[in-house]
Amino acid sequence: MQGIPEISVVSSWYNRSHDLENSVESVLGQVGPTLEYIIVDDASDEDATIVGLEQFAQSDPRVRLLRNDRNLGFTRSMIRAVGEARGAYVAVHDAGDISLPGRLAAQVDFFERHPEHVMCGTRVRNHDLRSGVSDVLPTNVDSPFKGIEGQIFTHGEVMFRREAYEQVGGYRDLFYYSQDTDLWRRLGEIGKLGHLDEVLYERRIFEEGVEGNVRKLVAQAIFGNLARISAEARRAGQPDPIERYHALALLQQDDAERFRDRAYDSFRHGFRHDQDALGDAIAQVPAGLLSTKVLAAYLLLRIGRKLGFKHFPK
């Protein structure tokens, strides 16, 4: 019987068979700390994905493949994956991305040298498969929020202490998008968030991803705004609106102007290569007409069934 690994790498996979082999092997090829690789197959209906993941699980005892009976979505699949983790450290690895050589060892070394830190990211190379453009994401290590407003962290390059994750309650299933931003904010309230100034992760942008879909970008902006509002409430000593209202917290967003700006930034970022005009058009909409409550209500109705809510709190 294998001992407890130092690191639990976690991924949620839904279809995306292209580059599956390279992505998984980039994790299994890491040297140094012992690891287990927990993959949740979120009810893929693509045969190549199912077979490919199964082959890795059969050929490498470090791979633990879990299957959802039905599609639960990314956040709930990640909750399941981390819930199975045994390592002291949990490393995220998003489906299709590449963990570059030395990534995991460097992050563990960072934690061992900095016990006050609860999370650690790295520099990230963005590889846009739609346009072929590849560049290293800018970073601002002087950001007071260490990756929240400063955008140091994306998602897949992050490693965190499992104990800290459990202490703050982990990913919250309300966040269909921006679940990472919400988690980073809460982790930052109990410890320091670190960052390695070395490119150790390659983030792939796929046609079917968030950045290739206008509706997903707007939804991401709504949830990102909610994470900010919740963090501000906690800092002010007020109840977290998500814990108080759960899904109805989506309707608590009154800051329409700041939301508009956030949505605009998302559009600009996601369509920077060929559709900047769309972002410019969004920026011209008066904040009063781009009501966050209207958008949030639409979103709540649109994805409520997929989120699986049985009822709303009174």
Side-chain angles (χ1 to χ4, degrees):
M1 181 180 292
Q2 289 185 322
I4 297 176
E6 296 172 79
I7 306 171
S8 296
V9 183
V10 293
S11 294
S12 169
W13 222 285
Y14 176 69
N15 292 334
R16 194 169 286 184
S17 60
H18 40 289
D19 257 1
L20 182 152
E21 184 175 349
N22 289 336
S23 183
V24 174
E25 286 182 346
S26 77
V27 171
L28 299 178
Q30 297 283 316
V31 297
T34 58
L35 67 86
E36 63 178 352
Y37 188 10
I38 303 169
I39 302 174
V40 174
D41 177 7
D42 194 17
S44 294
D45 54 18
E46 192 178 73
D47 289 343
T49 299
I50 297 170
V51 172
L53 292 176
E54 209 155 73
Q55 287 177 341
F56 275 109
Q58 292 171 353
S59 63
D60 195 316
R62 295 175 297 172
V63 177
R64 297 171 59 196
L65 179 60
L66 310 175
R67 282 219 173 82
N68 292 337
D69 293 333
R70 59 186 178 86
N71 185 265
L72 299 180
F74 179 76
T75 305
R76 291 190 171 188
S77 294
M78 289 296 289
I79 291 172
R80 183 183 182 191
V82 182
E84 293 283 338
R86 298 178 297 158
Y89 306 112
V90 176
V92 180
H93 177 90
D94 285 340
D97 289 352
I98 303 294
S99 284
L100 298 176
R103 174 208 163 182
L104 300 183
Q107 289 177 304
V108 169
D109 176 68
F110 177 87
F111 279 126
E112 291 178 346
R113 290 184 292 107
H114 299 89
E116 72 281 6
H117 282 71
V118 295
M119 189 176 101
C120 176
T122 77
R123 295 294 299 276
V124 175
R125 179 189 302 130
N126 240 20
H127 186 188
D128 194 329
L129 299 181
R130 302 167 302 173
S131 65
V133 173
S134 181
D135 52 14
V136 176
L137 293 179
T139 186
N140 175 17
V141 294
D142 296 323
S143 167
F145 289 97
K146 288 288 184 183
I148 305 306
E149 276 76 5
Q151 295 298 314
I152 293 177
F153 308 116
T154 58
H155 184 245
E157 89 280 8
V158 163
M159 180 184 288
F160 48 79
R161 297 183 190 273
R162 180 162 61 90
E163 182 179 22
Y165 172 91
E166 293 170 350
Q167 183 179 338
V168 300
Y171 292 106
R172 298 198 281 191
D173 62 1
L174 171 63
F175 282 86
Y176 200 73
Y177 299 102
S178 296
Q179 59 287 112
D180 51 351
T181 299
D182 174 61
L183 178 58
W184 308 163
R185 287 181 181 274
R186 287 180 289 118
L187 284 171
E189 292 168 8
I190 67 167
K192 293 184 178 181
L193 310 184
H195 179 258
L196 298 176
D197 193 24
E198 182 180 356
V199 179
L200 293 171
Y201 192 80
E202 183 174 293
R203 175 174 174 259
R204 304 288 183 88
I205 300 176
F206 297 88
E207 191 67 41
E208 71 274 15
V210 172
E211 296 192 39
N213 186 297
V214 174
R215 290 180 180 176
K216 289 180 180 179
L217 283 169
V218 173
Q220 185 181 63
I222 290 175
F223 281 107
N225 197 53
L226 178 59
R228 177 187 61 79
I229 290 172
S230 298
E232 290 176 352
R234 294 192 301 272
R235 284 199 295 269
Q238 300 170 355
D240 187 320
I242 297 171
E243 294 183 2
R244 185 174 183 181
Y245 300 111
H246 200 51
L248 293 181
L250 282 165
L251 303 182
Q252 303 300 312
Q253 303 183 65
D254 294 315
D255 194 349
E257 186 168 0
R258 285 190 66 178
F259 169 79
R260 182 203 64 183
D261 293 341
R262 189 177 180 87
Y264 164 62
D265 289 341
S266 293
F267 276 106
R268 292 280 296 188
H269 180 65
F271 292 86
R272 63 187 180 278
H273 299 300
D274 54 6
Q275 297 192 38
D276 280 353
L278 183 57
D280 292 334
I282 291 294
Q284 300 305 314
V285 177
L289 297 181
L290 191 63
S291 166
T292 56
K293 286 194 174 183
V294 171
L295 286 170
Y298 169 79
L299 180 66
L300 189 61
L301 292 171
R302 179 94 181 181
I303 69 173
R305 180 174 298 177
K306 180 165 281 194
L307 288 170
F309 296 130
K310 304 292 185 187
H311 63 278
F312 295 114
K314 295 181 179 179

